[in-house]
Amino acid sequence: MIDRTVPIDAAVSRFIRSGSVIMVGGFGRGGVPFTILEHLADHADAFADLTLIKNDASEPHLGIGPLLRAGMVKKLIATHIGLNPEFIGQMNRGEVECELVPQGIFAERIRAGGAGIPALLTDIGVDTEAAAGKPSVRLDGETYLVERALRGDVALVCADRVDRTGNAWWRGSNRNMCVVMATACARVIVEGKQIVEAGAIQPEDVQLPGVFVDAVVQAQPRRHMRTEAPA
Amino acid sequence: MIDRTVPIDAAVSRFIRSGSVIMVGGFGRGGVPFTILEHLADHADAFADLTLIKNDASEPHLGIGPLLRAGMVKKLIATHIGLNPEFIGQMNRGEVECELVPQGIFAERIRAGGAGIPALLTDIGVDTEAAAGKPSVRLDGETYLVERALRGDVALVCADRVDRTGNAWWRGSNRNMCVVMATACARVIVEGKQIVEAGAIQPEDVQLPGVFVDAVVQAQPRRHMRTEAPA
Amino acid sequence: MTQTRAPMQDEERIARRAALELRPGMLVNLGIGLPTLVPQFLPADVDVLFHSENGFVGMGPALEDGTPDHDIIDAGGRACTIIKGGAFFDSLLSFAIVRGGHLDLAVLGAFEVSIKGDLANWKIPGRLTPGMGGGMELAQKANQVLVVTRHLDKKGRPKIVRECSLPLTARHCVDTVITERAVFRRRDGALALISVHPDHTIDSVLEGIEVPMRVIEPLQSWDQPPESPEGVGA
Amino acid sequence: MTQTRAPMQDEERIARRAALELRPGMLVNLGIGLPTLVPQFLPADVDVLFHSENGFVGMGPALEDGTPDHDIIDAGGRACTIIKGGAFFDSLLSFAIVRGGHLDLAVLGAFEVSIKGDLANWKIPGRLTPGMGGGMELAQKANQVLVVTRHLDKKGRPKIVRECSLPLTARHCVDTVITERAVFRRRDGALALISVHPDHTIDSVLEGIEVPMRVIEPLQSWDQPPESPEGVGA
């Protein structure tokens, strides 16, 4: 089996470019690849025009917040941005594009991207702003939206446990969007809180098989735990 | 938490009727609810005109084989029937209807049924007999089939371990279609090789949450292990 | 499921009344904010299962000793627990549960509710755009939708309106509205007043609501639980 | 992954030659029948990962002591094992791997292969209808499709034909065909002869094939592995 562990700078420089479409795991703070995101924020000059696909906009000082604040992001596709008033301001001023998607459909579109399904039909969001600009079809007398697959260039997720070949396991509610995002991107970097040997996770309990994973990096204690509280 | 354990005859008589559309878990012998199927075969007079949705047609003496042999089934939706020459004969003589579906699309249609998705688009089977009778649409210059959701009245699956509330876990390759089928039916009976107390399966490792399950029944040793070899 | 502050009097009243709507065997999702106050007012013998759309069923209260477990959070990001028999999963299965018809009740907040049961709770253009999160699925697909909200908005206008002026979350989805003044249920396609809090009168409840509202008399007492719907239970 | 009988001479020859097509790092799916004979001819140092569409990656051979574990079966129903680092999953994820483009190679059997690479391997109307199983997805979506088959059918006709007469599995999907007589690769949209077994000649290979076949000379030696394609590896 391939050992996919690499230093974080190698993984980032190999897979992420300006203009990359990046899926970022996490819901609230669970599953968010804080170490990789802090690394990106530390190299703000190297990465511009990113498109981020993430459940929520984080908080201004956390997760993708510093990337948004630094102007590294041209578009965010998300389901909820309410905890990041700075980003809402940027969006309202037209400085950044934001597409809001109902959360379950957000997950389904990503799944479709990963599962080779070009589009799915749904009635979620019919008669709302979420339907704006989307094609609709009639089937069996009902109107449905055609929701297209979402794919990314890179997925960044944080797992609680990952083996050297990339098989990953999440504790508690940390799984959220992480697994499905890892299926839907050309390259996948898993940040592991704990990196274990192949075989340490029972094969039935693997939540993300390593065949989807390109790089495994070690999670570091979060910045605010390493230094001072954030500004 | 609700204790969903019940005797098998109570579960069957409560949820299954003549004319029921029944999804049956399993691929080969793994995940097949042999005890429930043997119970049904033992009550062949009570259940007619069944529609079965199962990956494969089993072997003539095993699984759904005796139900097919006894004429209890009017239609089978499956992906593979090669190990049941008796059924192929019935089908070729027009005694029973059979719809063959590509295996991944079979799983996707069931998932759609469970996930409240009316249909999905795919290019699998385009230009083949699998496309016969299916609507197609053009999207982004490509032709796709519209594959409709499949739902059932009852799902019957066998899990290696299930707790009293219905949380279930499969060993090895036994999971196959079982989980997705349990999401797509109005009622779900899980046959457990081992029935454990609530909490005995780590909540992260539950493969099917009990909220999908209506009844938990005890698996028995298979008939051919209890008595003689099958005819 | 935790509460980080004591609910104010109105909120407590709403949450206490809402708790009566949670019946044994139900699978229930709680929206962010006021809905999270409801579980503390459930009698101990009511066996309700909570669904958290970020990925589990069996959500329980925060640890009593106050030790937060940040790997088990509710959809509002607050540390909670999982009860014995609960299960974690990913966002896909979480919303399959909702869209698949397994969620008996969603308890949601609201900016506006129309007399026909339309809900607006995700966007105030140019001012507040939290996003819909999972709200559209919950509003559209839960078997029952209960809105818990202050009776009036910050400008003193009733939340119940003729037509929503704000972007919709979903149409014709709200079954019940509970405010600190009254309980409304959708009957024959329109919200009707069914119960008034003892501090209020029909007049003080209907004051400012700019659309005719049916009053179902005799009014139910404030603490009367709803009739058990058929077939509830996961 | 087990073999229940010693392969006959032709089958062994085909499987040995096919094993050369499996390159380190590949994720490979083996169809039922002849394809399952391939792994035993892999050199021990070739790190190939096998995908079994019923739900795992990391399929390994049956236990050497012969104790079958019937909870770990291949897609043909035979007991096998899982290697360290393998993972089990359900049918959904299994085919997401296939349709999502992660499967480097599918090794499949065939009733007929057309000169353009169309494959028919699931139905002989009125006679044999095993069903397509996962074959359509594998044929259509694996990054490379390798067909391993006897050169002639039971009536002595070549399996390579101008147009398939049987119901198709997928169009334009076959990249390589290996028989006991020859190796064919699709070049510029049509199968071409690239290697002939020492027991045969170009004439004996092409005899009975009713469509013009390009011969790429000089022919490769029988045991020459394919050029490593770019970007292989999960």
Side-chain angles (χ1 to χ4, degrees):
Chain A
M1 298 286 290
I2 299 167
D3 185 331
R4 295 188 170 96
T5 56
V6 292
I8 187 168
D9 49 355
V12 165
S13 64
R14 182 157 172 214
F15 297 136
I16 305 182
R17 301 274 175 276
S18 284
S20 287
V21 176
I22 307 177
M23 293 194 184
V24 182
F27 186 120
R29 299 186 185 189
V32 176
F34 286 109
T35 304
I36 304 172
L37 293 173
E38 289 175 359
H39 182 93
L40 289 174
D42 287 346
H43 297 79
D45 292 347
F47 304 103
D49 295 323
L50 301 176
T51 295
L52 298 188
I53 301 175
K54 182 171 182 299
N55 179 68
D56 53 83
S58 299
E59 298 164 58
H61 64 281
L62 259 190
I64 64 170
L67 280 63
L68 297 167
R69 183 184 268 175
M72 300 164 70
V73 179
K74 71 174 177 188
K75 180 175 182 180
L76 173 67
I77 304 177
T79 82
H80 194 270
I81 58 177
L83 297 180
N84 194 335
E86 270 190 29
F87 175 73
I88 296 178
Q90 290 177 305
M91 178 183 75
N92 286 342
R93 290 190 300 275
E95 296 165 11
V96 59
E97 190 182 349
C98 180
E99 177 182 347
L100 287 167
V101 182
Q103 197 166 99
I105 297 306
F106 178 87
E108 287 295 327
R109 290 177 62 191
I110 294 168
R111 181 180 184 279
I117 294 168
L120 55 104
L121 306 188
T122 184
D123 61 348
I124 298 295
V126 165
D127 281 347
T128 75
E129 281 190 13
K134 289 179 182 165
S136 64
V137 295
R138 298 281 295 176
L139 189 72
D140 304 333
E142 300 286 331
T143 298
Y144 297 107
L145 302 180
V146 179
E147 290 279 5
R148 282 159 204 264
L150 278 174
R151 280 192 61 87
D153 298 312
V154 193
L156 309 176
V157 302
C158 178
D160 289 86
R161 200 175 298 155
V162 57
D163 76 21
R164 293 180 165 277
T165 76
N167 292 306
W169 183 91
W170 280 263
R171 182 168 183 265
S173 52
N174 292 340
R175 196 178 333 177
N176 50 69
M177 303 284 181
C178 291
V179 172
V180 72
M181 285 179 165
T183 68
C185 293
R187 297 295 180 177
V188 176
I189 309 176
V190 175
E191 170 179 326
K193 290 182 189 169
Q194 188 189 7
I195 298 177
V196 296
E197 295 304 313
I201 304 171
Q202 189 169 343
E204 285 87 352
D205 298 334
V206 167
Q207 296 171 10
L208 173 70
V211 291
F212 290 103
V213 176
D214 296 279
V216 173
V217 305
Q218 176 67 55
Q220 301 297 331
R222 295 229 305 274
R223 191 188 300 279
H224 71 276
M225 296 171 184
R226 279 177 271 162
T227 59
E228 292 296 302
Chain B
M1 297 288 289
I2 300 167
D3 186 331
R4 296 189 169 95
T5 56
V6 292
I8 188 169
D9 49 356
V12 165
S13 64
R14 183 161 171 209
F15 297 137
I16 304 182
R17 301 272 175 276
S18 284
S20 286
V21 176
I22 307 177
M23 292 193 185
V24 182
F27 187 118
R29 299 185 184 191
V32 176
F34 286 108
T35 305
I36 304 173
L37 293 173
E38 289 175 1
H39 182 95
L40 289 173
D42 287 346
H43 297 78
D45 292 347
F47 303 103
D49 294 325
L50 302 176
T51 295
L52 298 187
I53 301 174
K54 183 171 182 297
N55 179 69
D56 53 86
S58 299
E59 297 163 60
H61 63 282
L62 259 191
I64 64 170
L67 280 64
L68 297 167
R69 181 184 271 175
M72 301 165 69
V73 179
K74 70 173 176 188
K75 180 175 182 181
L76 173 67
I77 304 177
T79 83
H80 195 268
I81 57 176
L83 296 180
N84 194 335
E86 273 192 28
F87 175 75
I88 294 177
Q90 290 176 305
M91 179 183 76
N92 286 342
R93 290 190 300 275
E95 297 165 12
V96 59
E97 190 182 347
C98 179
E99 178 182 344
L100 287 167
V101 182
Q103 196 166 99
I105 297 306
F106 178 87
E108 286 294 326
R109 290 177 64 190
I110 295 168
R111 181 181 184 277
I117 293 168
L120 55 104
L121 306 189
T122 185
D123 61 348
I124 298 294
V126 165
D127 281 346
T128 75
E129 281 190 14
K134 289 179 179 163
S136 65
V137 296
R138 297 280 296 177
L139 189 73
D140 305 334
E142 300 287 330
T143 298
Y144 297 107
L145 302 180
V146 179
E147 290 280 4
R148 283 159 203 263
L150 278 174
R151 281 190 62 86
D153 298 313
V154 194
L156 310 176
V157 302
C158 177
D160 290 85
R161 200 174 297 156
V162 57
D163 76 21
R164 293 180 164 277
T165 76
N167 292 307
W169 184 92
W170 280 261
R171 181 166 183 265
S173 52
N174 292 340
R175 196 178 334 177
N176 50 68
M177 302 284 182
C178 292
V179 171
V180 71
M181 286 179 165
T183 68
C185 293
R187 298 294 180 179
V188 175
I189 308 176
V190 175
E191 170 178 325
K193 291 183 190 169
Q194 187 190 7
I195 298 178
V196 297
E197 295 304 312
I201 304 172
Q202 189 169 342
E204 285 87 351
D205 299 334
V206 168
Q207 295 171 11
L208 173 70
V211 292
F212 290 102
V213 176
D214 295 279
V216 173
V217 304
Q218 177 67 57
Q220 302 296 332
R222 294 228 305 273
R223 190 188 301 277
H224 71 274
M225 297 172 183
R226 278 177 274 162
T227 60
E228 292 297 301
Chain C
M1 289 285 290
T2 59
Q3 68 270 25
T4 51
R5 60 195 164 89
M8 286 176 288
Q9 190 191 340
D10 283 354
E11 292 188 342
E12 176 172 334
R13 181 189 292 171
I14 295 167
R16 276 188 190 280
R17 178 58 189 79
L20 295 177
E21 305 282 317
L22 278 57
R23 314 296 298 162
M26 273 186 170
L27 182 64
V28 178
N29 181 288
L30 303 172
I32 295 172
L34 215 166
T36 61
L37 303 178
V38 173
Q40 62 188 301
F41 299 113
L42 272 180
D45 62 342
V46 175
D47 191 9
V48 168
L49 200 59
F50 290 100
H51 168 266
S52 190
E53 69 264 31
N54 52 324
F56 56 119
V57 288
M59 184 171 54
L63 291 173
E64 292 202 354
D65 67 3
T67 313
D69 181 346
H70 291 297
D71 289 340
I72 307 177
I73 59 171
D74 68 15
R78 294 174 314 169
C80 55
T81 53
I82 189 164
I83 66 170
K84 191 176 286 191
F88 293 109
F89 34 75
D90 73 351
S91 299
L92 289 168
L93 194 73
S94 189
F95 283 93
I97 288 172
V98 177
R99 289 191 311 269
H102 298 272
L103 189 66
D104 297 302
L105 181 69
V107 186
L108 302 175
F111 298 150
E112 294 176 325
V113 179
S114 84
I115 192 76
K116 290 182 175 170
D118 297 350
L119 174 65
N121 74 352
W122 71 278
K123 184 177 182 181
I124 301 178
R127 197 157 70 78
L128 184 65
T129 313
M132 67 287 279
M136 288 190 174
E137 284 93 344
L138 293 168
Q140 225 173 312
K141 295 299 180 181
N143 297 330
Q144 299 228 24
V145 173
L146 165 62
V147 164
V148 290
T149 177
R150 297 294 187 97
H151 195 78
L152 306 177
D153 68 15
K154 288 179 183 165
K155 293 182 177 172
R157 299 171 303 198
K159 295 268 191 121
I160 295 178
V161 296
R162 181 183 299 273
E163 292 285 351
C164 292
S165 62
L166 299 171
L168 288 187
T169 305
R171 277 200 195 281
H172 307 153
C173 64
V174 177
D175 297 288
T176 304
V177 178
I178 296 177
T179 77
E180 73 277 16
R181 295 188 187 181
V183 179
F184 307 86
R185 278 202 214 282
R186 192 153 51 111
R187 294 270 188 259
D188 304 323
L191 290 177
L193 176 62
I194 65 158
S195 181
V196 172
H197 186 268
D199 288 356
H200 285 274
T201 64
I202 292 179
D203 282 353
S204 73
V205 166
L206 299 185
E207 184 184 355
I209 295 180
E210 295 180 328
V211 56
M213 167 81 68
R214 185 174 155 210
V215 180
I216 298 185
E217 294 183 291
L219 289 170
Q220 296 176 8
S221 71
W222 181 251
D223 53 3
Q224 182 177 324
E227 291 170 35
S228 283
E230 290 281 324
V232 155
Chain D
M1 290 287 291
T2 59
Q3 68 270 22
T4 52
R5 58 191 166 90
M8 286 177 289
Q9 189 190 342
D10 283 354
E11 291 189 342
E12 175 171 334
R13 182 191 291 171
I14 295 167
R16 277 188 189 279
R17 176 60 188 79
L20 296 177
E21 306 282 317
L22 278 55
R23 313 299 294 164
M26 273 189 170
L27 183 64
V28 177
N29 182 289
L30 303 173
I32 295 172
L34 213 167
T36 61
L37 302 179
V38 173
Q40 62 188 300
F41 300 113
L42 272 180
D45 62 342
V46 174
D47 191 8
V48 168
L49 201 59
F50 291 100
H51 167 267
S52 189
E53 69 265 29
N54 52 325
F56 56 118
V57 288
M59 184 170 55
L63 291 173
E64 293 201 355
D65 67 4
T67 314
D69 180 347
H70 291 297
D71 289 340
I72 308 179
I73 60 172
D74 68 14
R78 295 176 310 169
C80 55
T81 53
I82 188 165
I83 65 169
K84 190 175 286 193
F88 293 109
F89 35 75
D90 72 352
S91 300
L92 288 169
L93 195 72
S94 190
F95 283 93
I97 288 173
V98 178
R99 290 192 310 270
H102 297 274
L103 188 68
D104 297 302
L105 179 69
V107 186
L108 302 174
F111 298 150
E112 294 176 326
V113 179
S114 84
I115 191 78
K116 290 182 177 170
D118 298 350
L119 174 66
N121 73 352
W122 71 278
K123 184 177 182 180
I124 300 176
R127 199 158 68 81
L128 184 66
T129 313
M132 67 288 278
M136 287 191 176
E137 285 93 343
L138 292 169
Q140 225 174 313
K141 297 298 181 181
N143 297 331
Q144 300 227 24
V145 172
L146 166 62
V147 163
V148 290
T149 178
R150 297 293 187 99
H151 194 79
L152 306 176
D153 69 15
K154 288 177 183 166
K155 295 184 178 173
R157 299 171 302 197
K159 295 268 191 122
I160 294 178
V161 296
R162 181 184 297 272
E163 293 284 349
C164 292
S165 62
L166 298 171
L168 288 187
T169 306
R171 276 199 196 283
H172 306 153
C173 64
V174 178
D175 297 289
T176 303
V177 178
I178 297 177
T179 76
E180 73 277 16
R181 296 189 187 181
V183 179
F184 307 86
R185 278 200 213 284
R186 192 153 51 110
R187 295 269 188 259
D188 304 323
L191 289 178
L193 176 61
I194 66 159
S195 182
V196 173
H197 187 269
D199 288 356
H200 285 274
T201 64
I202 292 178
D203 282 351
S204 72
V205 166
L206 298 185
E207 183 183 357
I209 295 181
E210 295 179 328
V211 55
M213 167 81 67
R214 187 173 153 210
V215 179
I216 298 187
E217 293 182 294
L219 289 171
Q220 296 176 9
S221 70
W222 182 251
D223 54 2
Q224 181 176 324
E227 291 171 35
S228 283
E230 290 283 324
V232 155

